[in-house]
């Protein structure tokens, strides 16, 4: 049988580098493209192209040879400290939309068989996420749209654009709305890190009895999905016929202070929490996995703590290596 070819856009990033490894283990020939190489160790890809997907010529070049599957993960993104301060809004919208416009257009033109687009839980309206104990993030609740960030608006636009290519040109799309994916080999100290990595770093660097700083009052809620589970969801979705956007996330909702407590338990450290002002995002958010389970039979299988244990160990080792 002919080896299937997959292109991972954003293959130098956190999810992209894990995805390339996963696709290799499943027997694919993999090409990655990114502005930069993977930060932690070599990529598993057969070919790694350094290129800017805002440039249409680069998009055509990376699609050469034809692909059974394209994974469009490249985006200008980061954690709350990057997305919610407002300072990067123009870049986030312009860079990510340009990449998506190019990749949809040229994937269609070059006859890509199937394309995956990574959207985000940030598309959900703020008005459904004001109560930290009762957020609503079922897929149909996306409209009337009112995301709380320009990052979310761009994701929503691009979802619609990929769906329009499906309707008008038959582009075979799959769209997932990721909810806080975490794990080893992700940003942990470059101001683009997300809450799990930031909390792991703060706890790992603290001495017994110290205080760690947590943004907000710590009662804001989120759920976090471990990278391997995310990839199971992505691969199940890709192998299905389901073209509408679905959540890929965990339903184990915790407050950020609870997340910090969990990490302290893992570390065996008794620390104080100092809640300070900071960029926050919505008050509460949790994945709703009813639709994805009903439509393609996927749901996460691990508890948050098991992924956090692995991530904590990895961040601890990074700190040791860098000290
Ligand atoms: P990441 O920032 O680690 O990876 C994105 C990659 O895209 C980076 O390596 C970056 O260099 C690359 N990129 C940016 N601009 C580019 C350009 N012009 N040309 C080529 N490459 C470019 O992020 P991630 O966590 O791996 O996320 C992957 C995708 O999933 C993103 O689209 C993100 O918005 C989405 N997502 C992630 C999460 C999460 O929790 N990690 C949640 C929701 C959605």
């Amino acid at each position: 049988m002919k080896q299937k070819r997959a292109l991972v856009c954003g293959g130098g990033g956190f999810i992209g580098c894990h995805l390339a490894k996963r696709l290799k283990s499943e027997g694919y020939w993999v090409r990655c493209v990114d502005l930069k190489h993977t930060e932690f160790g070599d990529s598993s890809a057969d070919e790694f192209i350094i290129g800017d997907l805002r440039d249409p010529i680069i998009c055509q070049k990376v699609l050469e040879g034809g692909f059974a599957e394209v994974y469009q993960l490249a985006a200008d993104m980061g954690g709350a400290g990057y997305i919610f301060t407002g300072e990067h809004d123009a870049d986030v919208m312009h860079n990510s939309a340009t990449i998506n416009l190019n990749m949809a257009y040229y994937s269609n033109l070059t006859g890509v068989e199937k394309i995956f687009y990574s959207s985000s839980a940030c598309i959900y309206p703020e008005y459904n996420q004001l109560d930290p104990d009762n957020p609503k993030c079922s897929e149909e609740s996306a409209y009337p749209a009112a995301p709380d960030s320009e990052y979310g608006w761009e994701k929503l636009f691009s979802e619609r654009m990929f769906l329009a290519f499906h309707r008008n040109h038959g582009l075979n799309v799959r769209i997932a709305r990721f909810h806080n994916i975490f794990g080893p080999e992700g940003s942990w100290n470059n101001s683009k890190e997300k809450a799990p990595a930031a909390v792991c770093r703060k706890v790992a660097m603290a001495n017994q009895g110290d205080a760690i700083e947590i943004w907000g009052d710590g009662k804001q809620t989120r759920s976090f999905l471990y990278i391997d589970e995310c990839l199971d969801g992505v691969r199940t979705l890709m192998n299905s016929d389901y073209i509408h956007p679905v959540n890929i996330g965990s339903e184990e909702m915790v407050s950020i202070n609870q997340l910090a407590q969990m990490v302290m338990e893992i570390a065996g450290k008794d620390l104080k929490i100092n809640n300070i002002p900071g960029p926050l995002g919505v008050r509460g958010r949790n994945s709703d996995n009813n639709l994805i389970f009903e439509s393609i039979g996927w749901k996460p299988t691990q508890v948050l703590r098991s992924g956090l244990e692995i991530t904590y160990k990895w961040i601890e080792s990074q700190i040791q290596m860098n000290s």
Side-chain angles (χ1 to χ4, degrees):
M1 215 174 71
K2 221 178 128 206
Q3 194 180 23
K4 270 193 173 178
R5 287 162 54 87
L7 173 67
V8 180
C9 304
F14 166 54
I15 301 174
C17 93
H18 285 275
L19 178 63
K21 200 185 297 171
R22 172 72 177 254
L23 291 168
K24 279 307 297 169
S25 75
E26 291 185 28
Y28 283 74
W29 185 90
V30 179
R31 176 182 292 162
C32 284
V33 54
D34 202 298
L35 289 172
K36 58 170 180 63
H37 280 288
T38 49
E39 238 173 295
F40 311 102
D42 293 336
S43 168
S44 317
D46 295 281
E47 196 176 89
F48 199 107
I49 297 180
I50 295 289
D52 187 337
L53 294 168
R54 290 170 300 182
D55 179 347
I57 294 169
I58 297 291
C59 294
Q60 291 171 73
K61 185 177 152 204
V62 299
L63 284 162
E64 272 171 12
F67 283 91
E69 295 177 14
V70 169
Y71 294 83
Q72 197 332 63
L73 306 173
D76 192 352
M77 77 93 87
Y82 190 75
I83 298 295
F84 297 120
T85 57
E87 285 163 38
H88 308 106
D89 285 351
D91 281 349
V92 164
M93 295 193 94
H94 178 263
N95 293 340
S96 298
T98 307
I99 298 168
N100 287 320
L101 288 163
N102 283 341
M103 286 311 298
Y105 182 80
Y106 289 107
S107 294
N108 182 51
L109 202 67
T110 59
V112 164
E113 288 169 35
K114 217 185 268 186
I115 183 164
F116 172 88
Y117 172 58
S118 52
S119 182
S120 166
C122 290
I123 63 103
Y124 287 111
E126 187 174 20
Y127 59 75
N128 280 332
Q129 302 173 88
L130 299 173
D131 176 358
D133 299 322
N134 224 357
K136 183 172 176 184
C137 291
S138 49
E139 285 79 351
E140 87 296 341
S141 73
Y143 297 97
D148 70 328
S149 65
E150 302 301 358
Y151 169 77
W153 278 106
E154 188 284 324
K155 289 286 186 196
L156 202 55
F157 162 76
S158 291
E159 279 190 4
R160 298 185 68 94
M161 196 255 312
F162 278 104
L163 287 169
F165 268 84
H166 170 74
R167 280 197 310 279
N168 295 164
H169 302 297
L171 186 66
N172 196 4
V173 297
R174 302 289 180 276
I175 300 172
R177 295 173 180 161
F178 289 154
H179 289 244
N180 297 313
I181 314 304
F182 75 100
E185 301 186 12
S187 296
W188 63 278
N189 67 345
N190 64 357
S191 78
K192 284 195 166 186
E193 63 275 16
K194 305 274 193 61
V199 170
C200 286
R201 186 196 67 231
K202 289 175 185 181
V203 171
M205 293 181 84
N207 295 313
Q208 207 64 262
D210 282 358
I212 56 163
E213 291 185 336
I214 298 287
W215 288 344
D217 65 4
K219 292 181 185 145
Q220 66 272 31
T221 53
R222 293 293 185 276
S223 68
F224 302 95
L225 183 71
Y226 187 61
I227 181 69
D228 291 0
E229 302 240 65
C230 167
L231 297 180
D232 290 343
V234 170
R235 295 293 300 131
T236 310
L237 181 60
M238 248 341 221
N239 289 330
S240 78
D241 293 330
Y242 199 78
I243 60 132
H244 306 289
V246 280
N247 291 327
I248 290 190
S250 157
E251 291 180 326
E252 185 183 342
M253 189 172 79
V254 291
S255 73
I256 300 304
N257 278 359
Q258 282 169 338
L259 176 78
Q261 286 296 347
M262 207 181 273
V263 176
M264 287 180 217
E265 278 167 35
I266 291 168
K269 289 187 186 179
D270 191 12
L271 308 172
K272 293 180 199 74
I273 295 177
N274 190 9
N275 289 111
I276 58 160
L280 292 175
V282 292
R283 188 73 183 135
R285 175 170 289 155
N286 194 10
S287 186
D288 178 328
N289 292 342
N290 286 318
L291 180 64
I292 190 164
F293 187 65
E294 277 161 23
S295 51
I296 66 168
W298 176 84
K299 64 176 175 193
T301 56
Q302 297 173 23
V303 291
L304 169 61
R305 182 168 172 137
S306 61
L308 270 184
E309 283 171 1
I310 302 169
T311 309
Y312 181 79
K313 271 202 197 97
W314 180 78
I315 289 180
E316 210 178 22
S317 71
Q318 291 295 306
I319 292 170
Q320 278 158 11
M321 257 168 51
N322 286 292
S323 62

